[in-house]
Amino acid sequence: MRALLVANPAATTTSARTRDVLIHALASEMKLEAVTTEYRGHARDLGRKAAHEGLDLVVALGGDGTVNEVVNGLLHNGPDPGRLPRLAVVPGGSTNVFARALGLPNDSVQATGALLDALREERERTVGLGLAAGAPDTEDEGVPARWFTFCAGFGFDAGVVGRVEQQRERGKRSTHALYVRQLMRQFWEEPNRRHGTVTLERPGADPVTDLVLSIVCNTSPWTYLGNRPLYASPEASFDTALDVLALNRLSTPAVARYATQLLTSTPERGPHGKHAVSLHDLTDFTLHSKVPLPFQMDGDHLGLRTSVRFTGVRRALRVIV
């Protein structure tokens, strides 16, 4: 088996010694090349090269951002599960939503052991992914399409992600407390929290208007607060298309209610109420905003957008589980 290990040296929870141990363990089972990423987008370039060279497996060692880059490299020319290298993930970030949603341990050493067992037992699954691009006939139509593995956000939650990234650039560690603080700051400074600017359009249905928050989920849970899973769209699955949780009001009482519902959410029940919109298994839809809003995919802030077109692609990539 020819394999490539893509390791992010800045991964939050993985030391250089741990990486060396993992590389040794994997190299004992396969013909392995290990590459440490050196710049933003390097993991994407490595994934693209692995697909071009016809490797059997690409192992992403890092957080959700590293996984996202590898996936976008592998799928540079579109999904082809029967031909493309399989993906394996060894979590090394602060949250590791994609790996945990696949049922992998949230510890890099334990996850490596699980990965080796899965390879020996030939355990894999083919997962669906989300694709986001600039909407046709808008000022964002030239924005390149990009894949995401577990979630995207347009508006409020993307603003929180952007604030966290700013703090990390200033030397702050990525912790759950940091996310909570930035969420509160985003709430108090959010100019559109009472009158949303986003409209969701989909074929064969009336538009959903005046949205403040719009979370697009490709799986469930949506994210984790420590070890607590948060289910924004409990029905979301790697086996279906995309789900959406949207809110059209973020007043103080509404935020208190929906935050409590999110913290107590379960695989059977997520946030609900008169200001909440939940949509399941959408293959094609577009989010339009009257003003530019923050946009994020897999926890990576991508700047401001006015329109984003989403596509849910079933059976896009083979993953070792």
mmCIF file of all heavy atoms in Angstrom, residues 7-11 13-24 36 61:
data_model
loop_
_atom_site.group_PDB
_atom_site.id
_atom_site.type_symbol
_atom_site.label_atom_id
_atom_site.label_comp_id
_atom_site.label_asym_id
_atom_site.label_seq_id
_atom_site.Cartn_x
_atom_site.Cartn_y
_atom_site.Cartn_z
ATOM 1 N N ALA A 7 1.115 15.965 7.772
ATOM 2 C CA ALA A 7 1.120 16.355 9.187
ATOM 3 C C ALA A 7 1.224 17.864 9.329
ATOM 4 O O ALA A 7 2.099 18.496 8.725
ATOM 5 C CB ALA A 7 2.285 15.685 9.911
ATOM 6 N N ASN A 8 0.343 18.429 10.114
ATOM 7 C CA ASN A 8 0.374 19.859 10.406
ATOM 8 C C ASN A 8 1.207 20.077 11.665
ATOM 9 O O ASN A 8 0.802 19.673 12.759
ATOM 10 C CB ASN A 8 -1.043 20.379 10.608
ATOM 11 C CG ASN A 8 -1.080 21.866 10.926
ATOM 12 O OD1 ASN A 8 -0.052 22.528 10.970
ATOM 13 N ND2 ASN A 8 -2.267 22.385 11.160
ATOM 14 N N PRO A 9 2.380 20.736 11.564
ATOM 15 C CA PRO A 9 3.231 20.914 12.747
ATOM 16 C C PRO A 9 2.621 21.835 13.790
ATOM 17 O O PRO A 9 3.044 21.833 14.945
ATOM 18 C CB PRO A 9 4.511 21.510 12.156
ATOM 19 C CG PRO A 9 4.072 22.209 10.916
ATOM 20 C CD PRO A 9 2.952 21.371 10.363
ATOM 21 N N ALA A 10 1.624 22.623 13.386
ATOM 22 C CA ALA A 10 0.984 23.552 14.319
ATOM 23 C C ALA A 10 -0.259 22.956 14.965
ATOM 24 O O ALA A 10 -0.991 23.663 15.663
ATOM 25 C CB ALA A 10 0.614 24.847 13.598
ATOM 26 N N ALA A 11 -0.518 21.666 14.731
ATOM 27 C CA ALA A 11 -1.697 21.036 15.318
ATOM 28 C C ALA A 11 -1.689 21.210 16.833
ATOM 29 O O ALA A 11 -0.666 21.004 17.491
ATOM 30 C CB ALA A 11 -1.733 19.547 14.950
ATOM 31 N N THR A 13 -2.858 19.696 19.541
ATOM 32 C CA THR A 13 -2.683 18.675 20.575
ATOM 33 C C THR A 13 -1.664 17.606 20.196
ATOM 34 O O THR A 13 -1.629 16.541 20.807
ATOM 35 C CB THR A 13 -4.037 17.985 20.876
ATOM 36 O OG1 THR A 13 -4.537 17.385 19.665
ATOM 37 C CG2 THR A 13 -5.041 18.995 21.395
ATOM 38 N N THR A 14 -0.820 17.870 19.218
ATOM 39 C CA THR A 14 0.143 16.867 18.774
ATOM 40 C C THR A 14 1.559 17.430 18.836
ATOM 41 O O THR A 14 1.853 18.440 18.198
ATOM 42 C CB THR A 14 -0.152 16.419 17.327
ATOM 43 O OG1 THR A 14 -1.516 16.016 17.237
ATOM 44 C CG2 THR A 14 0.735 15.237 16.946
ATOM 45 N N SER A 15 2.454 16.772 19.589
ATOM 46 C CA SER A 15 3.843 17.194 19.684
ATOM 47 C C SER A 15 4.676 16.521 18.596
ATOM 48 O O SER A 15 4.241 15.562 17.955
ATOM 49 C CB SER A 15 4.416 16.823 21.050
ATOM 50 O OG SER A 15 4.479 15.402 21.193
ATOM 51 N N ALA A 16 5.888 17.031 18.397
ATOM 52 C CA ALA A 16 6.784 16.436 17.410
ATOM 53 C C ALA A 16 7.097 14.986 17.776
ATOM 54 O O ALA A 16 7.190 14.113 16.899
ATOM 55 C CB ALA A 16 8.069 17.257 17.325
ATOM 56 N N ARG A 17 7.252 14.702 19.055
ATOM 57 C CA ARG A 17 7.529 13.328 19.479
ATOM 58 C C ARG A 17 6.356 12.412 19.149
ATOM 59 O O ARG A 17 6.553 11.286 18.666
ATOM 60 C CB ARG A 17 7.815 13.302 20.980
ATOM 61 C CG ARG A 17 8.165 11.914 21.502
ATOM 62 C CD ARG A 17 8.491 11.950 22.983
ATOM 63 N NE ARG A 17 8.815 10.617 23.475
ATOM 64 C CZ ARG A 17 9.108 10.338 24.734
ATOM 65 N NH1 ARG A 17 9.132 11.327 25.631
ATOM 66 N NH2 ARG A 17 9.383 9.102 25.104
ATOM 67 N N THR A 18 5.141 12.899 19.399
ATOM 68 C CA THR A 18 3.961 12.095 19.072
ATOM 69 C C THR A 18 3.892 11.826 17.575
ATOM 70 O O THR A 18 3.590 10.699 17.150
ATOM 71 C CB THR A 18 2.687 12.815 19.533
ATOM 72 O OG1 THR A 18 2.741 13.022 20.943
ATOM 73 C CG2 THR A 18 1.447 11.996 19.200
ATOM 74 N N ARG A 19 4.187 12.847 16.760
ATOM 75 C CA ARG A 19 4.182 12.645 15.305
ATOM 76 C C ARG A 19 5.177 11.574 14.888
ATOM 77 O O ARG A 19 4.880 10.734 14.039
ATOM 78 C CB ARG A 19 4.497 13.966 14.582
ATOM 79 C CG ARG A 19 3.381 14.974 14.625
ATOM 80 C CD ARG A 19 3.586 16.063 13.561
ATOM 81 N NE ARG A 19 4.848 16.768 13.740
ATOM 82 C CZ ARG A 19 4.991 17.832 14.519
ATOM 83 N NH1 ARG A 19 3.967 18.288 15.225
ATOM 84 N NH2 ARG A 19 6.164 18.437 14.609
ATOM 85 N N ASP A 20 6.361 11.581 15.507
ATOM 86 C CA ASP A 20 7.379 10.588 15.157
ATOM 87 C C ASP A 20 6.901 9.176 15.497
ATOM 88 O O ASP A 20 7.126 8.232 14.733
ATOM 89 C CB ASP A 20 8.688 10.893 15.887
ATOM 90 C CG ASP A 20 9.364 12.150 15.369
ATOM 91 O OD1 ASP A 20 9.028 12.578 14.239
ATOM 92 O OD2 ASP A 20 10.214 12.710 16.083
ATOM 93 N N VAL A 21 6.256 9.036 16.642
ATOM 94 C CA VAL A 21 5.729 7.726 17.035
ATOM 95 C C VAL A 21 4.659 7.252 16.052
ATOM 96 O O VAL A 21 4.639 6.085 15.638
ATOM 97 C CB VAL A 21 5.165 7.779 18.474
ATOM 98 C CG1 VAL A 21 4.423 6.488 18.806
ATOM 99 C CG2 VAL A 21 6.282 8.029 19.477
ATOM 100 N N LEU A 22 3.777 8.168 15.660
ATOM 101 C CA LEU A 22 2.706 7.817 14.732
ATOM 102 C C LEU A 22 3.275 7.433 13.369
ATOM 103 O O LEU A 22 2.825 6.462 12.739
ATOM 104 C CB LEU A 22 1.741 8.994 14.591
ATOM 105 C CG LEU A 22 1.034 9.451 15.874
ATOM 106 C CD1 LEU A 22 0.106 10.619 15.579
ATOM 107 C CD2 LEU A 22 0.282 8.314 16.521
ATOM 108 N N ILE A 23 4.268 8.193 12.905
ATOM 109 C CA ILE A 23 4.882 7.890 11.608
ATOM 110 C C ILE A 23 5.523 6.516 11.637
ATOM 111 O O ILE A 23 5.375 5.716 10.695
ATOM 112 C CB ILE A 23 5.911 8.982 11.245
ATOM 113 C CG1 ILE A 23 5.197 10.296 10.930
ATOM 114 C CG2 ILE A 23 6.770 8.547 10.051
ATOM 115 C CD1 ILE A 23 6.135 11.482 10.789
ATOM 116 N N HIS A 24 6.214 6.199 12.721
ATOM 117 C CA HIS A 24 6.857 4.883 12.833
ATOM 118 C C HIS A 24 5.814 3.765 12.819
ATOM 119 O O HIS A 24 6.003 2.731 12.149
ATOM 120 C CB HIS A 24 7.679 4.826 14.124
ATOM 121 C CG HIS A 24 8.383 3.521 14.329
ATOM 122 N ND1 HIS A 24 9.513 3.151 13.621
ATOM 123 C CD2 HIS A 24 8.100 2.468 15.158
ATOM 124 C CE1 HIS A 24 9.903 1.953 14.000
ATOM 125 N NE2 HIS A 24 9.067 1.513 14.936
ATOM 126 N N THR A 36 5.515 17.248 6.306
ATOM 127 C CA THR A 36 5.023 18.262 7.229
ATOM 128 C C THR A 36 4.643 19.521 6.449
ATOM 129 O O THR A 36 5.436 20.001 5.637
ATOM 130 C CB THR A 36 6.094 18.611 8.279
ATOM 131 O OG1 THR A 36 6.440 17.432 9.005
ATOM 132 C CG2 THR A 36 5.586 19.657 9.247
ATOM 133 N N LEU A 61 -2.999 14.198 9.503
ATOM 134 C CA LEU A 61 -2.705 14.330 10.923
ATOM 135 C C LEU A 61 -2.779 15.812 11.283
ATOM 136 O O LEU A 61 -1.889 16.601 10.953
ATOM 137 C CB LEU A 61 -1.312 13.768 11.238
ATOM 138 C CG LEU A 61 -0.756 14.044 12.643
ATOM 139 C CD1 LEU A 61 -1.703 13.536 13.723
ATOM 140 C CD2 LEU A 61 0.625 13.421 12.792
#
